[in-house]
Amino acid sequence: MGLLQELCRIHGPAYLERFGSAMPKAHKKVIAAIVDCHTEAAGSALYVCDGCGQPHVVHRSCGNRHCPCCQQGKGHEWLERHRARQLPGEHFMLTFTVPEPLRPFLRRHQRIGYGALFAASAGAIKSLAVDPRHIGGDVPGFFGILHTWGRTLQYHPHIHYVVGGGALSSADGRWHPARPGFYLPVRALSRILRAKVRDVIARHGLLGETPGEVWSMEWNVNCLAAGDGRGALEYLAPYVFKVAIAERRILSVDEHHVRFRYQHPHSHRARTMTLPIMEFMRRFLQHVLPRGFMKVRYYGFLSPSSSVALEEVKARIELAYGFALPAPEPTIEAEATPRCRHCGGVLRFCRLLLPGDSAVGSLVSLSQPIGVSSGLSVVSAGP
């Protein structure tokens, strides 16, 4: 059992008793899911070794996207898929950050606020990309990842985008490259972002709940050249499935406090922070997303609904550069195979075992249930 799971199991009831009447339903579900994860309460799966015939009972994962155990390995799979789709040429990483005075509003209205941030930031990129003074293409291709926490679990909503260095033009069918090392002016992006977020909030009739000064201050937008894009993908891959705090960062949990490790930005020195149990749980749960909210979104020719095939986009980029660009080389790794802890043989899936199944007890007596610390390469039969 991990420390976060132990914390939720021991202190979750007290947290629910104290704040349950005011808690979103999603927060309650996260606590329950983490407590049940990789236990018999989440169900089990039976595997049998091809070599020695030994049965193995694998307690299933809860499948909740905010559970740290269930997200292990998914970021690597996502990275490999995107390497295979990587465009030739230069890439950029853009970051759009919500100013501090507006964050309490977003925390109260997460679905509206996060949706507004996605719509406004993507709209700002498209608005400037089509301008011939910058790129002159009306179909850029980019994807964004919502990230809501800082290193000490504070609330810090922002979106990272990775964008190919140019845009397609539906008028002439050509790829219009961005200037080397420069994609779009960040001050103009900031002002368009601010105006578009304000418009979305106003349409929902919530403008009166926002502090007036945020609509006259400069918003923070950053744009960095990212080379061929591989570094940006590797940086962002963990955030696709990462939760607010990784299990390895939690150092200790006692009756009253949680101690965890963190680093300041631009520093490699490890620091520690100690928080009261209730405050730690509050900080962790404030990053639970609304049910069904998509934290990764694709736009332009990277959108699933795009009418332009990605291979065609790659060909137009290469044509624009006279076929002088090196093609990205995706890394392909072998698929992990579950192995028997006794003889090393391949484990074959037999059937699912529901919670309370009478067969579980008899199988457990033959084989110790496998958890996340076992020698298996794959320890879950699915979410």
Side-chain angles (χ1 to χ4, degrees):
M1 178 181 294
L3 288 176
L4 184 62
Q5 186 179 34
E6 182 180 4
L7 184 151
C8 289
R9 182 180 63 82
I10 296 174
H11 300 282
Y15 190 89
L16 291 169
E17 182 178 357
R18 184 172 175 181
F19 301 109
S21 60
M23 286 174 62
K25 190 175 181 180
H27 292 194
K28 299 176 183 179
K29 287 185 174 181
V30 168
I31 293 175
I34 291 175
V35 169
D36 290 345
C37 190
H38 289 103
T39 69
E40 187 178 339
S44 307
L46 173 63
Y47 287 82
V48 174
C49 176
D50 273 355
C52 64
Q54 180 76 16
H56 293 261
V57 176
V58 181
H59 292 325
R60 304 179 74 213
S61 65
C62 64
N64 192 290
R65 61 174 168 171
H66 300 97
C67 172
C69 291
C70 293
Q71 307 308 310
Q72 294 180 15
K74 291 185 178 180
H76 178 74
E77 296 171 4
W78 179 91
L79 176 60
E80 294 307 314
R81 289 197 302 271
H82 279 71
R83 280 175 172 169
R85 291 166 50 85
Q86 190 176 351
L87 299 171
E90 190 173 21
H91 289 67
F92 296 86
M93 187 162 73
L94 285 76
T95 303
F96 295 80
T97 304
V98 176
E100 180 74 34
L102 191 60
R103 293 174 194 174
F105 173 85
L106 260 68
R107 195 173 182 274
R108 293 193 305 271
H109 303 282
Q110 292 184 6
R111 191 177 295 276
I112 293 173
Y114 298 157
L117 185 57
F118 263 118
S121 54
I125 293 173
K126 294 176 181 178
S127 296
L128 288 183
V130 72
D131 191 327
R133 294 174 297 175
H134 303 305
I135 295 175
D138 59 332
V139 190
F142 55 100
F143 67 89
I145 301 172
L146 174 67
H147 186 202
T148 65
W149 59 86
R151 298 172 189 240
T152 59
L153 301 184
Q154 78 273 23
Y155 189 62
H156 179 54
H158 54 283
I159 297 178
H160 295 293
Y161 287 101
V162 174
V163 56
L168 287 176
S169 170
S170 56
D172 58 21
R174 296 189 296 110
W175 175 259
H176 291 238
R179 283 176 276 170
F182 179 85
Y183 189 64
L184 294 172
V186 293
R187 179 169 292 184
L189 286 170
S190 170
R191 292 175 179 175
I192 296 173
L193 171 72
R194 183 182 63 193
K196 287 182 176 291
V197 169
R198 188 182 189 279
D199 289 346
V200 173
I201 293 175
R203 284 200 300 270
H204 284 88
L206 298 172
L207 199 58
E209 294 188 29
T210 64
E213 69 267 22
V214 300
W215 309 120
S216 58
M217 64 191 300
E218 292 291 334
W219 289 31
N220 186 15
V221 178
N222 187 36
C223 181
L224 294 175
D228 64 1
R230 293 178 68 91
L233 288 175
E234 290 169 2
Y235 173 78
L236 291 177
Y239 290 114
V240 178
F241 297 99
K242 192 176 182 181
V243 299
I245 188 167
E247 185 72 40
R248 66 180 180 274
R249 288 179 55 202
I250 304 176
L251 302 176
S252 64
V253 178
D254 60 27
E255 291 185 23
H256 304 289
H257 297 91
V258 180
R259 188 167 65 94
F260 62 93
R261 183 176 62 248
Y262 73 100
Q263 292 177 340
H264 280 314
H266 314 298
S267 171
H268 297 290
R269 183 166 71 87
R271 294 170 168 84
T272 61
M273 175 173 284
T274 301
L275 293 175
I277 292 286
M278 296 294 112
E279 173 61 13
F280 177 86
M281 293 188 69
R282 184 197 70 82
R283 291 196 188 191
F284 175 77
L285 291 170
Q286 71 180 341
H287 304 294
V288 171
L289 297 176
R291 181 181 178 184
F293 189 88
M294 301 300 295
K295 66 180 291 186
V296 184
R297 302 189 180 188
Y298 299 83
Y299 299 90
F301 58 75
L302 291 183
S303 168
S305 61
S306 172
S307 60
V308 183
L310 192 60
E311 292 304 317
E312 184 178 349
V313 175
K314 292 180 180 180
R316 293 184 188 183
I317 295 173
E318 291 171 350
L319 180 62
Y321 286 96
F323 300 94
L325 294 174
E329 297 181 3
T331 303
I332 301 176
E333 298 192 7
E335 182 180 356
T337 302
R339 295 283 178 176
C340 176
R341 63 172 61 179
H342 302 287
C343 72
V346 175
L347 295 184
R348 301 296 180 189
F349 172 76
C350 289
R351 66 186 182 95
L352 295 177
L353 304 169
L354 299 178
D357 193 322
S358 59
V360 175
S362 59
L363 288 167
V364 167
S365 65
L366 296 174
S367 170
Q368 183 69 23
I370 298 170
V372 293
S373 61
S374 74
L376 280 179
S377 299
V378 177
V379 299
S380 171

